[in-house]
Amino acid sequence: MSNDFVPALREALDSAGYTYARVADLLGETAHTALSRNETVPGLRRTRGGSPLETLTRLFLLQTPVTVSEAEQALPGLVDRLCNEGLLEQSIGEVAARMDIRPYATDDEDLWVVSDLTPGLDGTPNRVGADHVLGISSAATSLAQLTLRHPVGRALDLGTGCGVQALHLARHSDQVVATDINKRALWMTELNARLNGIRPGHIDVRDGSFFEPVRGETFDLIATNPPFVISPATDERLVYRDSGLPGDRVVEDIVRAAPALLNEGGWCQILANWVIPAGGDWQERLSGWIADCDAWVVQREVIDPAGYVELWLKDAGVQGTADYVRRYDTWLEWFERQGIAGVGFGWINLRRTDSTPTLRLEEWPYDVEQPIAPAIDAWGDTVDDLRGLTDAVLLSAHPVLRADVQQETFGAPGAEDPATVVLRQQRGLRRARQADTVEAAFVGACDGELSVQQVLTAIASLLEQEPAALVAERLPVVRELLADGFLEL
């Protein structure tokens, strides 16, 4: 791909103030929210002034033609070249977008992301081609919030799509490898790297399926949102969402293969779906995939088979077609034959270790702090702190109550003691746990001054209990409080 037009395009977007914040302000809350539902009319009403910012918003986000003069004003000297490159198309007196150029904001910079146009605006047919390249989706932003951001040497964006994760990884990785089987996606990833000022070669784009292009290499961080849709392996598939493998085989293959591609202490973070078997345990099933890694798997949502099929048939634009009922029935029948009771969605976090692995698989459908990556990093630190920690060493430790933990009490008005005490985190996963009076007293005394042994002995004295018995009873609870992040060492 030639790149002589990219600096001028970047300058035009920058000069117009075409950033996420400026566009959101231009549209206002109502129109911005409507656009998130694929409705453009409120946005069109807010962008009639003809300024470069309004023109770019109408052209690329609202996908409506603008006049040639408006396009030339917003993209000076670029209209013909962008038409030749396939980003725009021109007819008599009008210019329309053939691709999406969307402003995107990270915590500390403004970016632009080129992808295929968003299908299904204003109720139009949602059909896309097999090699459609998805733009900034909710899955992409979820993975970005999940991915650890500490500096690393080598990072892999597996199944890069338009390159959103690669752009993030490039900011804290010495080298990024981005792989995909969709050549159009790789072209867009290279374009997005150049558009956003990534130095040449920093993102190494490679064509190939899954780990094939990096065979024999290792990484410090792998981030992937693979084509995880759980469906029969048929010839009818969209590359960005369907792997061609049956069920959740694609996720299983990645989980099993990842440890061999990770350096010691390296992470693989996956946003994925998995099968919930009828009469079976999803946690037991997924834990069987994991070896040589600490693992924290969080199931965020469960969808029943019918709802799942409807979701993805709508995504494919099949609703309202003559083939809809047949495909719906075929998919449900396959689910039944496979013994699939539901589909789980969530995060799989793997960390390569040569020590005895720690596995944690749990359901947590509640609201969490975003980005969630710092909580995952803290979990890794806690695993290191607790690994091999003997009871004797734990008793001599001086734990500290995490600063964001608050105590809530519930009971009848006027009661001498609360009926229920709840400890609740305000950050991270925002866990809550019910505590009895001993646990609440223990946590309240954890300010780093006293050891676990000293605090439990003092509580035993107040309750007129045998200290050794209380220690034996409560030490497992102390480990739980540490593992769940209520206490820190």
Side-chain angles (χ1 to χ4, degrees):
M1 179 185 72
S2 61
N3 64 356
D4 54 340
F5 74 96
V6 174
L9 175 58
R10 178 184 176 89
E11 182 179 353
L13 299 176
D14 191 47
S15 296
Y18 189 57
T19 66
Y20 180 88
R22 289 283 303 277
V23 169
D25 184 61
L26 169 68
L27 293 176
E29 183 177 355
T30 297
H32 195 257
T33 302
L35 185 57
S36 71
R37 301 191 301 267
N38 282 356
E39 300 292 342
T40 69
V41 173
L44 292 172
R45 294 173 59 85
R46 295 273 299 186
T47 55
R48 294 170 172 170
S51 69
L53 178 59
E54 290 168 298
T55 296
L56 293 174
T57 301
R58 291 173 75 87
L59 188 61
F60 293 116
L61 301 188
L62 303 175
Q63 295 179 25
T64 192
V66 299
T67 66
V68 172
S69 61
E70 289 173 332
E72 289 285 4
Q73 182 185 5
L75 299 164
L78 282 167
V79 173
D80 288 342
R81 184 58 195 276
L82 293 180
C83 288
N84 292 335
E85 295 289 342
L87 276 73
L88 298 177
E89 59 183 2
Q90 186 171 349
S91 58
I92 298 175
E94 286 189 333
V95 174
R98 292 182 60 192
M99 299 185 73
D100 189 316
I101 303 179
R102 187 167 297 257
Y104 178 64
T106 68
D107 288 339
D108 51 11
E109 64 182 330
D110 292 306
L111 303 172
W112 300 281
V113 175
V114 177
S115 67
D116 280 327
L117 292 172
T118 302
L121 293 185
D122 300 316
T124 57
N126 199 36
R127 302 292 291 181
V128 297
D131 61 351
H132 179 81
V133 179
L134 202 63
I136 302 165
S137 64
S138 59
T141 55
S142 293
L143 180 58
Q145 293 168 327
L146 180 70
T147 305
L148 300 176
R149 296 300 171 202
H150 52 260
V152 296
R154 302 191 76 225
L156 172 63
D157 177 8
L158 185 71
T160 187
C162 66
V164 174
Q165 308 308 323
L167 293 176
H168 279 283
L169 292 169
R171 304 303 174 181
H172 61 100
S173 308
D174 293 338
Q175 183 191 27
V176 178
V177 178
T179 68
D180 209 293
I181 61 170
N182 186 345
K183 289 182 171 57
R184 294 186 67 252
L186 297 177
W187 177 83
M188 290 183 208
T189 296
E190 288 190 311
L191 173 57
N192 285 324
R194 293 170 179 172
L195 183 61
N196 290 288
I198 306 297
R199 61 177 171 78
H202 193 174
I203 297 178
D204 179 5
V205 174
R206 302 185 192 178
D207 181 15
S209 178
F210 299 108
F211 291 125
E212 288 178 7
V214 295
R215 185 172 297 169
E217 301 178 42
T218 57
F219 299 88
D220 304 298
L221 179 60
I222 300 171
T224 182
N225 172 25
F228 55 61
V229 174
I230 296 173
S231 63
T234 68
D235 293 332
E236 298 177 272
R237 67 188 186 102
L238 303 177
V239 173
Y240 75 86
R241 59 164 233 193
D242 301 305
S243 69
L245 297 173
D248 54 13
R249 174 71 180 275
V250 61
V251 178
E252 178 182 354
D253 286 355
I254 290 172
V255 171
R256 290 186 184 277
L261 285 92
L262 291 173
N263 296 320
E264 171 67 14
W267 289 82
C268 176
Q269 299 184 269
I270 310 165
L271 196 72
N273 278 177
W274 46 79
V275 165
I276 299 177
D281 185 340
W282 72 270
Q283 296 175 332
E284 181 179 351
R285 184 167 178 276
L286 266 65
S287 63
W289 301 349
I290 301 165
D292 302 322
C293 282
D294 296 320
W296 186 14
V297 182
V298 182
Q299 184 164 275
R300 297 284 292 151
E301 183 180 4
V302 175
I303 306 176
D304 66 80
Y308 190 79
V309 173
E310 292 163 14
L311 170 68
W312 290 111
L313 287 179
K314 180 180 181 181
D315 176 79
V318 179
Q319 278 187 324
T321 69
D323 205 27
Y324 177 73
V325 172
R326 180 192 67 81
R327 292 183 64 174
Y328 195 150
D329 185 65
T330 298
W331 205 334
L332 277 184
E333 183 181 358
W334 180 82
F335 270 155
E336 290 174 3
R337 290 200 313 268
Q338 297 297 314
I340 297 174
V343 177
F345 170 81
W347 318 320
I348 301 176
N349 300 283
L350 309 173
R351 184 178 63 165
R352 177 67 185 271
T353 180
D354 290 334
S355 303
T356 302
T358 295
L359 302 185
R360 178 167 190 151
L361 295 90
E362 63 182 315
E363 296 189 53
W364 193 257
Y366 311 108
D367 182 51
V368 301
E369 181 185 25
Q370 295 291 2
I372 196 61
I376 295 166
D377 201 19
W379 175 82
D381 291 339
T382 299
V383 168
D384 290 338
D385 290 339
L386 294 178
R387 201 187 318 268
L389 186 68
T390 65
D391 287 351
V393 174
L394 179 55
L395 284 170
S396 66
H398 292 241
V400 177
L401 179 66
R402 209 170 79 177
D404 65 303
V405 175
Q406 294 186 0
Q407 177 177 299
E408 301 171 357
T409 57
F410 303 91
E416 183 176 349
D417 296 310
T420 305
V421 176
V422 174
L423 304 175
R424 190 180 303 277
Q425 299 168 355
Q426 306 302 306
R427 307 198 62 183
L429 260 70
R430 297 174 173 150
R431 295 187 188 277
R433 62 178 284 149
Q434 188 169 328
D436 60 18
T437 53
V438 173
E439 184 175 328
F442 176 82
V443 167
C446 287
D447 58 5
E449 293 295 322
L450 300 175
S451 68
V452 172
Q453 177 76 68
Q454 290 171 320
V455 175
L456 290 177
T457 299
I459 293 173
S461 177
L462 288 171
L463 297 177
E464 298 181 348
Q465 293 185 14
E466 173 61 38
L470 187 68
V471 166
E473 176 189 341
R474 296 293 171 164
L475 207 54
V477 175
V478 176
R479 288 187 182 274
E480 287 180 12
L481 290 165
L482 288 165
D484 287 350
F486 288 91
L487 297 176
E488 298 173 329
L489 291 178

